[in-house]
Amino acid sequence: MKSMIREFHKLNINVMSKKYIFILLVSAALGLTSCSPFQIRSDYAETANFNSYKTYKLRIDDLKLNDIDKDRVLNELSRQLQSKGLQSGENPDLIVNVKANHKKVTDITNNSPYGMYGWGGSFGWGIGMSRTWTSNYNQGALIVDLIDAKNNKLVWQGIGSGISVDSPRAKQKQIPEIMAEIMANYPPQRGK
């Protein structure tokens, strides 16, 4: 009987350990997938009937990018729109206007490795050291406007910022990612 109790106890600990490990792994995976380097937001007209839109046409008058990045943006945007059930057409329900911009960003990092009052905390002695680093870089943003072609009114807008404009390799990876995150909000979920 005692051996059965010991075996049951071992089995119970094994199951509980596996359960905690599973919960830890799931939590870590969710934490990693919810971390995006981009800031995404969207807005929409409450009166728009998004189910009625079946076709679109790209308008790129305001898309001031080099040809390589322009192709990346337009190809990914078309792919995202088609995955939502929209088809490109000459007599569209939606006009899709795409804009891009960038701004210079300065990051300032201040590090005080010895604390505010020097060595030993607030009752210690000595002089505290402080180091400051600055870095300058360009950060890009994409704006997608969906305009109802019948009344020429904006019905949905998605904005994503945080693209590393200074790195061609980063842009190659980030443009499709940010466009997918922007378009994840279309069609909008009413009431959210």
Side-chain angles (χ1 to χ4, degrees):
M1 181 70 164
K2 286 184 181 182
S3 65
M4 275 184 18
I5 292 173
R6 260 187 257 137
E7 288 300 315
F8 178 75
H9 184 65
K10 284 181 189 176
L11 179 64
N12 194 18
I13 289 174
N14 239 356
V15 169
M16 293 198 49
S17 297
K18 287 180 183 178
K19 189 186 295 185
Y20 286 121
I21 290 171
F22 177 76
I23 290 171
L24 180 65
L25 289 174
V26 168
S27 298
L30 286 174
L32 290 175
T33 59
S34 66
C35 297
S36 170
F38 309 118
Q39 296 79 47
I40 306 295
R41 56 196 179 280
S42 64
D43 195 8
Y44 65 94
E46 295 279 339
T47 57
N49 180 3
F50 292 97
N51 294 326
S52 69
Y53 302 127
K54 304 295 182 205
T55 57
Y56 71 92
K57 183 174 184 176
L58 294 174
R59 186 173 76 193
I60 56 172
D61 304 339
D62 298 327
L63 189 56
K64 308 288 190 246
L65 292 173
N66 65 50
D67 290 340
I68 296 169
D69 290 338
K70 191 180 288 188
D71 285 346
R72 287 178 183 141
V73 168
L74 296 177
N75 289 337
E76 184 60 28
L77 178 56
S78 290
R79 194 177 77 68
Q80 291 294 325
L81 289 168
Q82 290 169 9
S83 75
K84 308 281 184 183
L86 296 167
Q87 297 300 316
S88 180
E90 286 305 312
N91 189 17
D93 300 320
L94 288 172
I95 303 294
V96 181
N97 190 30
V98 189
K99 297 176 243 176
N101 62 38
H102 75 278
K103 65 180 178 181
K104 186 172 276 302
V105 176
T106 301
D107 276 345
I108 300 172
T109 305
N110 189 7
N111 187 356
S112 300
Y114 300 111
M116 195 163 122
Y117 300 102
W119 296 281
S122 58
F123 299 105
W125 54 275
I127 300 171
M129 292 178 69
S130 178
R131 295 183 185 143
T132 302
W133 292 273
T134 61
S135 62
N136 296 311
Y137 59 92
N138 289 303
Q139 184 181 76
L142 292 173
I143 303 161
V144 179
D145 291 337
L146 301 184
I147 301 160
D148 188 307
K150 288 180 185 153
N151 60 22
N152 207 31
K153 292 199 177 207
L154 179 68
V155 292
W156 185 88
Q157 182 178 63
I159 302 170
S161 60
I163 300 171
S164 299
V165 175
D166 297 330
S167 168
R169 186 163 283 166
K171 286 191 298 184
Q172 182 179 10
K173 180 177 181 257
Q174 291 179 340
I175 287 173
E177 290 174 354
I178 197 168
M179 191 57 72
E181 287 189 35
I182 291 169
M183 294 309 296
N185 294 323
Y186 182 84
Q189 302 297 315
R190 297 196 189 268
K192 285 189 176 182

